[in-house]
C-alpha cells in the first residue's frame, strides 16, 4: 500500500476511534457515502463554520447572513438549470455491474500518465542531483515529452466532450484509451448515459409530478430567490453579499474517499451581487481573499493551488477551484465562480417577478451580476484533519523511540481548548482541586476534566483529539495555588497561578488572533 493510502486509512480509523466521524447507520452495515459527526467532530465542524461565518459576515459590513429551507418550490430548479443540466455522465461495466462516472474514468487515466511523468522526474532528480533542471527535463526527455503530450491531448479532448455533452464521444474516448474497470480490469462497457444528481421526494397532499420536490443540491438558489427580500430589508447597496451555511444533497454516482464526496453534505456559500461589468475585478478580489482565509490557518502554501476550470458550467463566465493536496492528491476544496446574471434573470423570467436593483448612482434598474464563493464544510474538515494528523517521535524522548499521534489543529479550531488533569487520580485533594478549576474554566471555553488514567495516557488522549492546552494539578498546586500548562505541540510546560489560567488559555485560543 502506498504511503499516501496508508495515511488516509489511518486518518479514517483515527476519526472513528476518537469520536470525530462515524459511518451512518453503522449497525445496519452503514449507508454508503453518508456520515455522522461524533462528539469531537461536531465541535470541530462548528468551529470551521464559525471561522467562515466570522470571516465572511462579521468582518464585512456589506455581507449579511441567511438560513433558507432545504425544500424550495420545484420551479426553482427548472430556472437554475438543475432539472435539465445537473447531470453526470455515467457508464456501467457489464461484467462487474459496477457504475462509474465516465469523465472520472478518463481523469483516472490521466492521473496514471501523470504518475509516469512524476516517476521519470524523480528518477532523473536522483541521477543528476543538484544540477537537475526540471523544466528543461520535461521539455527534452523524449519519453517524458510523449507522456506530457498525451496528457494534454486527453485533457483537451475531455474538456471539449464535456462542454458539448457528447456522450458518444466520451464512450469512444474510453474505448480508444482502452480504459478498463479499475476494480476488475474488464472493458465490457455500456453506452454513456446522463444521470441527474438531484434527490426527489413527494409532498404529502399532492400526488404525481405536481407534488414532486427536490432536496436542494446547493444552497445558492435560496439566496437568489431571496435577493430582493434581503436587499430591501437590510437597505444594502451594491456591491453586497449574502452568506449561507446549510445542507445540500447530491445523488453522487461514485461516492468515495470518505467525507470528500458525500450524498448529504454541508456547504458554506456566499453570493456577491455587483454591477454588471465589474465581475472580473470582484472575481479576482474573492480569489485572493478566499486563499488568504485558507492560509491564515497555517496551511502551507504548497498544499493549496488554484485550478482554472477546463469546461465552464452553464451559468459561469469564469471559474476557478482552490485545490488542496488531500492524501489522494490535489482535489477541489472550494469553487469561485463568476455566475453573471444567469440565476437572477432565469428566476425573473420563470416567476414573472422583477429581481432588479435600482442603482442610485447610475439612476437605472438592472439585474446584478454575481460572484460566488462556495466551499464544502466537510471537505474543509477533511483538509484540516489530513494536514493536522501527525505521527511523531515524542519531543525529548530518548532516541525517538516513543511515538505519539497528535492532531496539530489551529487552537481556535480545536474541539476542546483545555483539559484539566489531576497528576494522580487516587489523591482526593488533587481530584477535588482539579474539578474546581474545571468548573470555573467551563464557563469560558470547551474544557474537559479527565482522571481515567495515568497522566501520560491522559496527555496522549488529549494530543490525539488536538487539545492545545493541558492544565495539570499536582502537589505544588495544593501548596501555592499554581498549575502547569502544557502546550500540545512543543510539550513545554509553564507554571502559572491558577487565577491566570483562564486569561492565558482564553487569549491563545481566541479566533480573533487569526483575523488580526
Ligand atoms: P466536484 O467537481 O468535486 O463534484 P463540484 O464542482 O460539483 O464538485 P460545486 O458545485 O462547485 O462542486 O460545490 C461547491 C463545493 O461543495 C465544492 O467545492 C465542495 O467543497 C463541496 N461539494 C460538492 N459536492 C460535494 C459532495 N458530494 N460531498 C462533499 N462536498 C461536496
Amino acid at each position: 500500500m502506498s504511503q499516501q493510502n496508508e495515511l488516509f486509512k489511518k486518518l479514517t480509523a483515527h476519526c472513528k476511534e476518537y469520536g470525530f466521524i462515524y459511518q451512518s447507520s453503522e449497525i445496519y452495515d452503514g449507508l454508503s457515502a453518508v456520515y455522522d459527526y461524533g462528539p469531537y467532530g461536531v465541535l470541530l465542524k462548528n468551529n470551521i463554520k464559525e471561522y467562515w461565518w466570522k470571516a465572511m459576515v462579521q468582518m464585512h459590513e456589506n455581507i449579511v447572513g441567511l438560513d433558507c429551507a432545504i425544500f424550495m418550490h420545484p420551479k426553482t430548479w427548472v430556472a437554475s438549470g438543475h432539472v435539465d443540466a445537473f447531470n453526470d455522465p455515467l457508464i456501467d461495466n457489464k461484467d462487474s455491474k459496477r457504475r462509474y462516472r465516465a469523465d472520472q474514468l478518463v481523469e483516472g487515466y490521466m492521473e496514471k500518465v501523470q504518475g509516469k511523468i512524476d516517476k521519470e522526474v524523480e528518477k532523473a532528480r536522483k541521477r543528476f542531483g543538484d544540477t537537475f533542471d526540471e523544466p528543461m527535463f520535461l521539455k527534452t526527455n523524449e519519453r517524458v515529452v510523449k507522456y506530457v503530450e498525451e496528457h494534454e491531448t486527453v485533457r483537451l479532448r475531455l474538456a471539449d466532450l464535456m462542454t458539448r455533452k457528447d456522450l458518444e464521444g466520451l464512450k469512444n474516448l474510453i474505448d480508444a484509451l482502452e480504459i478498463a474497470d479499475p476494480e476488475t480490469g474488464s472493458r465490457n462497457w455500456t453506452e454513456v448515459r446522463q444521470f441527474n444528481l438531484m434527490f426527489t421526494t413527494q409532498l404529502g397532499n399532492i400526488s404525481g409530478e405536481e407534488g414532486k420536490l427536490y432536496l436542494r443540491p446547493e444552497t445558492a438558489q435560496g439566496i437568489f430567490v431571496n435577493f430582493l427580500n434581503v436587499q430591501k430589508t437590510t437597505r444594502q447597496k451594491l456591491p453586497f453579499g449574502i452568506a449561507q451555511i446549510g445542507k445540500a444533497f447530491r445523488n453522487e454516482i461514485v461516492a468515495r474517499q470518505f467525507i470528500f464526496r458525500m450524498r448529504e453534505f454541508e456547504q458554506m456559500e456566499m453570493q456577491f451581487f455587483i454591477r454588471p461589468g465589474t465581475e472580473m475585478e470582484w472575481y479576482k478580489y474573492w480569489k485572493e481573499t478566499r486563499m488568504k482565509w485558507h492560509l491564515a490557518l497555517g496551511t502551507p502554501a504548497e498544499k493549496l493551488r488554484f485550478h482554472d476550470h477546463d469546461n465552464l458550467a452553464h451559468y459561469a463566465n469564469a471559474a476557478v477551484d482552490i485545490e488542496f493536496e488531500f492524501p489522494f492528491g490535489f482535489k477541489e476544496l472550494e469553487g469561485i465562480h463568476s455566475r453573471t446574471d444567469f440565476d437572477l434573470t432565469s428566476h425573473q423570467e420563470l416567476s414573472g417577478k422583477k429581481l432588479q436593483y435600482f442603482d442610485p448612482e447610475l439612476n437605472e434598474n438592472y439585474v446584478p451580476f454575481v460572484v460566488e464563493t462556495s466551499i464544502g464544510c466537510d471537505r474543509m474538515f477533511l483538509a484540516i484533519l489530513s494536514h493536522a494528523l501527525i505521527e511523531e517521535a515524542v519531543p525529548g524522548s530518548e532516541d525517538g523511540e516513543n511515538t505519539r499521534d497528535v492532531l496539530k489543529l489551529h487552537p481556535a479550531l480545536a474541539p476542546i481548548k483545555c483539559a484539566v488533569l489531576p497528576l494522580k487520580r487516587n489523591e482526593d485533594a488533587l481530584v477535588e482541586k482539579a474539578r474546581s478549576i474545571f468548573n470555573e474554566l467551563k464557563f469560558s471555553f470547551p474544557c474537559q476534566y479527565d482522571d481515567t488514567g495515568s497522566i501520560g495516557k491522559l496527555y496522549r488522549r488529549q494530543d490525539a483529539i488536538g487539545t492545545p492546552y493541558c492544565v495539570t494539578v499536582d502537589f505544588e498546586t495544593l501548596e501555592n495555588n499554581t498549575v502547569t500548562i502544557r502546550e500540545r505541540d512543543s510539550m513545554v510546560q509553564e507554571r502559572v497561578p491558577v487565577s491566570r489560567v483562564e486569561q492565558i488559555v482564553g487569549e491563545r485560543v481566541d479566533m480573533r488572533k487569526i483575523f488580526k
Side-chain angles (χ1 to χ4, degrees):
M1 192 189 291
S2 78
Q3 208 185 350
Q4 297 304 73
N5 269 345
E6 236 169 279
L7 179 76
F8 193 45
K9 229 177 136 188
K10 186 178 164 89
L11 181 81
T12 50
H14 192 92
C15 280
K16 181 171 179 201
E17 183 177 353
Y18 288 97
F20 283 87
I21 295 170
Y22 312 120
Q23 172 81 58
S24 160
S25 335
E26 199 187 77
I27 60 165
Y28 295 104
D29 297 332
L31 181 63
S32 147
V34 186
Y35 291 91
D36 299 334
Y37 284 80
Y40 300 117
V42 65
L43 290 170
L44 173 57
K45 198 176 179 206
N46 284 343
N47 292 341
I48 293 171
K49 291 193 247 183
E50 186 185 343
Y51 174 45
W52 185 86
W53 190 266
K54 284 192 164 157
M56 301 302 272
V57 181
Q58 190 173 319
M59 296 289 146
H60 288 93
E61 269 180 70
N62 61 347
I63 299 183
V64 293
L66 192 65
D67 183 20
C68 304
I70 286 168
F71 293 138
M72 297 183 70
H73 194 285
K75 280 189 179 170
T76 309
W77 306 109
V78 176
S80 70
H82 283 83
V83 169
D84 284 336
F86 194 51
N87 300 315
D88 275 343
L90 75 78
I91 188 165
D92 290 294
N93 187 283
K94 290 185 202 161
D95 297 329
S96 69
K97 310 274 178 250
R98 285 174 197 268
R99 180 164 281 186
Y100 295 94
R101 251 173 73 178
D103 56 327
Q104 286 180 350
L105 284 179
V106 179
E107 279 168 7
Y109 178 88
M110 283 160 56
E111 273 166 28
K112 274 194 194 145
V113 177
Q114 184 62 46
K116 288 182 193 166
I117 300 171
D118 295 346
K119 216 164 148 190
E120 293 294 332
V121 168
E122 266 327 291
K123 266 197 332 215
R125 193 190 308 283
K126 274 196 195 128
R127 192 157 11 108
F128 295 115
D130 288 346
T131 58
F132 181 57
D133 181 346
E134 186 176 327
M136 182 61 89
F137 179 76
L138 289 173
K139 269 192 251 154
T140 51
N141 181 287
E142 237 176 72
R143 195 178 309 161
V144 172
V145 168
K146 250 180 60 198
Y147 290 147
V148 171
E149 271 172 14
E150 184 183 6
H151 190 278
E152 191 56 9
T153 310
V154 176
R155 186 181 72 80
L156 292 175
R157 182 102 185 92
L158 178 64
D160 174 54
L161 294 169
M162 290 296 285
T163 308
R164 291 190 293 107
K165 298 200 182 313
D166 180 349
L167 303 184
E168 206 182 319
L170 259 177
K171 170 68 170 34
N172 292 341
L173 183 62
I174 288 171
D175 288 340
L177 298 174
E178 299 187 351
I179 296 175
D181 182 334
E183 303 286 333
T184 64
S186 155
R187 294 202 194 107
N188 193 6
W189 296 111
T190 61
E191 295 306 305
V192 178
R193 281 176 294 142
Q194 292 285 29
F195 177 78
N196 195 290
L197 298 183
M198 280 197 293
F199 281 102
T200 57
T201 185
Q202 194 70 30
L203 266 181
N205 56 348
I206 307 173
S207 63
E209 269 301 297
E210 289 277 286
K212 186 164 155 189
L213 284 188
Y214 299 98
L215 271 67
R216 67 177 176 198
E218 62 176 26
T219 60
Q221 298 305 324
I223 294 179
F224 291 127
V225 300
N226 275 297
F227 159 70
L228 269 194
N229 281 338
V230 174
Q231 193 268 323
K232 285 193 171 140
T233 47
T234 58
R235 286 168 294 124
Q236 287 283 352
K237 292 204 168 70
L238 253 55
F240 82 96
I242 305 178
Q244 171 164 222
I245 298 177
K247 289 264 180 160
F249 303 82
R250 295 185 187 179
N251 199 357
E252 301 280 1
I253 298 167
V254 188
R256 275 185 304 195
Q257 291 156 329
F258 196 35
I259 57 169
F260 179 81
R261 191 175 298 286
M262 301 153 90
R263 297 202 164 101
E264 172 179 345
F265 58 101
E266 227 167 336
Q267 287 187 316
M268 307 190 285
E269 294 198 305
M270 192 278 301
Q271 312 295 323
F272 201 66
F273 299 90
I274 53 178
R275 210 181 256 178
T278 62
E279 66 269 25
M280 282 309 141
E281 192 185 307
W282 285 111
Y283 177 67
K284 188 164 166 274
Y285 169 85
W286 282 111
K287 255 178 88 170
E288 285 163 12
T289 306
R290 292 303 303 149
M291 186 56 104
K292 278 191 206 146
W293 183 86
H294 289 280
L295 293 171
L297 281 180
T299 311
E302 62 271 18
K303 286 210 156 250
L304 292 159
R305 70 179 188 196
F306 287 116
H307 177 255
D308 286 314
H309 281 207
D310 286 330
N311 50 323
L312 291 174
H314 58 278
Y315 53 75
N317 69 354
V320 68
D321 293 337
I322 294 180
E323 293 188 339
F324 175 81
E325 191 177 16
F326 288 95
F328 38 85
F330 272 99
K331 295 272 178 227
E332 172 177 346
L333 170 59
E334 169 158 10
I336 296 144
H337 312 122
S338 170
R339 293 183 78 124
T340 66
D341 58 355
F342 174 85
D343 303 88
L344 289 180
T345 303
S346 303
H347 288 305
Q348 187 171 262
E349 279 167 10
L350 197 62
S351 67
K353 309 268 166 32
K354 276 220 158 76
L355 287 174
Q356 298 190 353
Y357 170 76
F358 176 72
D359 190 325
E361 280 170 37
L362 299 180
N363 202 23
E364 66 179 67
N365 280 305
Y366 54 79
V367 178
F369 270 39
V370 171
V371 171
E372 153 186 87
T373 74
S374 173
I375 175 168
C377 184
D378 314 86
R379 271 193 204 176
M380 186 62 195
F381 189 108
L382 185 61
I384 287 173
L385 274 198
S386 54
H387 172 57
L389 180 61
I390 285 163
E391 185 182 334
E392 64 174 17
V394 174
S397 79
E398 276 173 31
D399 54 37
E401 259 198 3
N402 275 335
T403 59
R404 65 167 182 164
D405 286 334
V406 53
L407 263 189
K408 295 194 172 178
L409 295 169
H410 192 293
L413 296 188
I416 303 291
K417 306 300 181 194
C418 174
V420 186
L421 316 168
L423 183 68
K424 290 213 154 63
R425 58 173 159 164
N426 298 327
E427 295 283 341
D428 289 349
L430 294 183
V431 166
E432 195 183 320
K433 181 70 183 169
R435 277 215 168 273
S436 80
I437 294 173
F438 165 75
N439 279 324
E440 269 307 308
L441 291 180
K442 73 181 179 191
F443 288 101
S444 304
F445 31 75
C447 285
Q448 204 168 61
Y449 170 83
D450 195 3
D451 65 6
T452 56
S454 69
I455 192 71
K457 278 216 179 96
L458 299 182
Y459 285 151
R460 289 294 168 276
R461 199 177 154 75
Q462 295 300 329
D463 287 345
I465 61 168
T467 307
Y469 299 103
C470 286
V471 167
T472 309
V473 174
D474 56 18
F475 293 104
E476 203 179 322
T477 313
L478 304 178
E479 282 163 24
N480 61 11
N481 214 26
T482 62
V483 287
T484 58
I485 300 182
R486 170 192 181 269
E487 198 271 331
R488 178 194 65 206
D489 298 351
S490 63
M491 293 173 52
V492 168
Q493 305 199 8
E494 57 182 318
R495 189 163 276 280
V496 302
V498 169
S499 59
R500 292 207 50 226
V501 172
E502 182 182 348
Q503 190 200 351
I504 293 174
V505 176
E507 277 172 8
R508 292 181 194 171
V509 303
D510 195 337
M511 211 169 264
R512 269 190 304 185
K513 275 181 75 173
I514 314 183
F515 298 120
K516 286 197 163 164

